[in-house]
Amino acid sequence: MVSIRGTWTKIAESDRLKRSSQSLAVVGQQVYIYGGEVTARVPVDGALELINFNGSTVTTSTLPNISPAPTPRVGGATAVLDGVLYLFSGRGGPAMTPIEENGGIWKYTSSTGWEFILPKYPSISFPLGRSYHAATASQAEGLIYIHAGCPESGRLSDLWSYNPKENVWIKLPDAPGASRGGSSICCFEEFQSRTINVARMNGYSGAEEIGGIVDIYSPRNHSWERVVFDPNGVEGPGPRSVGTLLTVRIEGKQYLFTMFGEGRPSPLGHAGAGRMWDDAWIFDIEEKSWQKVEWETIGPAPRGWFAADVIEVEGKDGVVLHGGLGEDNERLGDVWLLKFN
């Protein structure tokens, strides 16, 4: 595998942007940030934060919170399909319980604002309300995938697809291994069949941080495959949760990319900060092998419970990272851009 290095640039920071357990989604050259918390179990207001890339200029703003809009929440999940931002569930309300919207999903565009959509067939099964689940979108299939997370009690291992054009949920085979929250998923193109697959890794089972496996779901075969590696920090990334998993193209080749996350939970649970990672790794889909990304500049402090997505910069894939929880149990309000060299 060709050596891959990365360069970090801090592009914004403010008290307003301080938060963890938020959602972040990129639409073109605009980065939308929604939800999260500054104080544990107290959601921030429901306004969208906008970071706008215009060439070499980056601006930040808070968009007016116009009804209808989602109720404030933490641990929600967003995905972007055909330029539309979709938000599913999260945790909120006075009791900070999962927000149960009966399979409903929120959609947002800059021209129309928020719109709440209930499923076409409400009597047919749909994913339960949950928090700290994962979401991704398949542009080729026109689908959004929702996976795992924390319902009213326990953790989940389910996988669902949502078709916005048909407004229909379909339950897919559960993922193998322990049920979990704080997992990460992304879609990628399988290099031989050129079909879309879903990759899943990491998470917290309630007893331990999970690592050492990339689980791959094939919609074509309706089955899961497991790629096992040694999570020793040499052969592959160590176990973690509340990190990220993204698909990036570097020099025309597609890779899976993961970084940061919580490597050991706090004894205080959600009220505290555990041991956080500050590393990043690239997974070669063809060779099924990992390579650690080396930093050429000083980058973000170790963190988990952050948000990140892929953004195109100067015709190449980069990664934008925002906020999260530091090892000092303080919420972070910084925004960074990672470019691959």
Side-chain angles (χ1 to χ4, degrees):
M1 190 189 304
V2 177
S3 177
I4 295 174
R5 307 177 71 83
T7 300
W8 285 105
T9 304
K10 185 188 287 189
I11 57 175
E13 185 171 21
S14 71
D15 287 342
R16 171 67 192 174
L17 291 173
K18 284 184 178 179
R19 64 192 68 190
S20 63
S21 303
Q22 74 277 26
S23 300
L24 181 151
V26 172
V27 181
Q29 294 295 289
Q30 296 182 315
V31 179
Y32 292 93
I33 298 167
Y34 175 79
E37 60 188 17
V38 177
T39 302
R41 300 186 179 89
V42 180
V44 300
D45 62 51
L48 276 168
E49 305 297 326
L50 174 63
I51 302 171
N52 189 57
F53 283 72
N54 184 9
S56 59
T57 303
V58 177
T59 58
T60 64
S61 59
T62 301
L63 301 181
N65 195 12
I66 300 173
S67 183
T71 56
R73 60 192 70 192
V74 304
T78 53
V80 174
L81 186 64
D82 296 330
V84 179
L85 185 157
Y86 293 89
L87 166 69
F88 180 75
S89 200
R91 186 173 293 265
M96 280 302 288
T97 53
I99 296 173
E100 182 55 71
E101 294 173 310
N102 299 314
I105 195 165
W106 288 90
K107 59 182 291 188
Y108 177 87
T109 67
S110 59
S111 59
T112 62
W114 286 107
E115 181 183 1
F116 181 65
I117 308 293
L118 282 169
K120 183 176 181 179
Y121 304 112
S123 61
I124 298 178
S125 63
F126 48 77
L128 293 172
R130 62 192 68 196
S131 60
Y132 301 105
H133 48 297
T136 189
S138 168
Q139 305 298 325
E141 298 174 299
L143 297 176
I144 294 168
Y145 290 95
I146 299 291
H147 171 60
C150 304
E152 183 69 34
S153 63
R155 289 165 179 82
L156 298 163
S157 59
D158 54 351
L159 179 68
W160 295 77
S161 68
Y162 175 72
N163 185 325
K165 290 184 178 179
E166 300 293 333
N167 191 20
V168 170
W169 289 100
I170 295 178
K171 190 177 188 309
L172 305 170
D174 286 358
S179 300
R180 63 195 70 184
S183 187
S184 301
I185 63 173
C186 68
C187 290
F188 69 94
E189 184 181 74
E190 205 278 327
F191 72 97
Q192 289 181 328
S193 66
R194 300 302 179 189
T195 57
I196 299 300
N197 287 351
V198 180
R200 185 280 300 265
M201 64 183 296
N202 299 330
Y204 182 65
S205 69
E208 63 179 356
E209 305 285 355
I210 301 169
I213 300 173
V214 179
D215 290 303
I216 299 174
Y217 175 72
S218 168
R220 184 180 64 166
N221 299 324
H222 304 287
S223 63
W224 289 87
E225 171 195 359
R226 312 203 85 182
V227 179
V228 180
F229 62 91
D230 189 343
N232 59 5
V234 178
E235 301 300 322
R240 65 193 69 198
S241 63
V242 291
T244 193
L245 184 64
L246 302 168
T247 304
V248 296
R249 287 194 176 273
I250 303 173
E251 299 298 329
K253 185 172 180 177
Q254 183 181 228
Y255 298 91
L256 302 184
F257 172 78
T258 190
M259 65 177 175
F260 295 77
E262 188 171 68
R264 185 176 62 240
S266 166
L268 299 176
H270 191 65
R275 182 175 67 87
M276 307 296 183
W277 293 98
D278 64 353
D279 56 351
W281 294 77
I282 288 285
F283 182 75
D284 189 308
I285 297 167
E286 297 180 36
E287 299 178 5
K288 293 183 169 57
S289 62
W290 287 99
Q291 176 190 152
K292 188 175 182 180
V293 179
E294 300 297 333
W295 304 140
E296 294 191 338
T297 55
I298 296 174
R303 66 192 65 198
W305 313 87
F306 62 96
D309 201 358
V310 176
I311 187 168
E312 185 176 305
V313 179
E314 299 171 352
K316 298 180 180 180
D317 280 359
V319 174
V320 61
L321 173 150
H322 165 248
L325 184 67
E327 289 188 316
D328 59 0
N329 203 28
E330 293 294 323
R331 270 69 185 181
L332 300 162
D334 49 355
V335 184
W336 294 77
L337 176 65
L338 172 64
K339 295 181 180 180
F340 298 102
N341 301 332

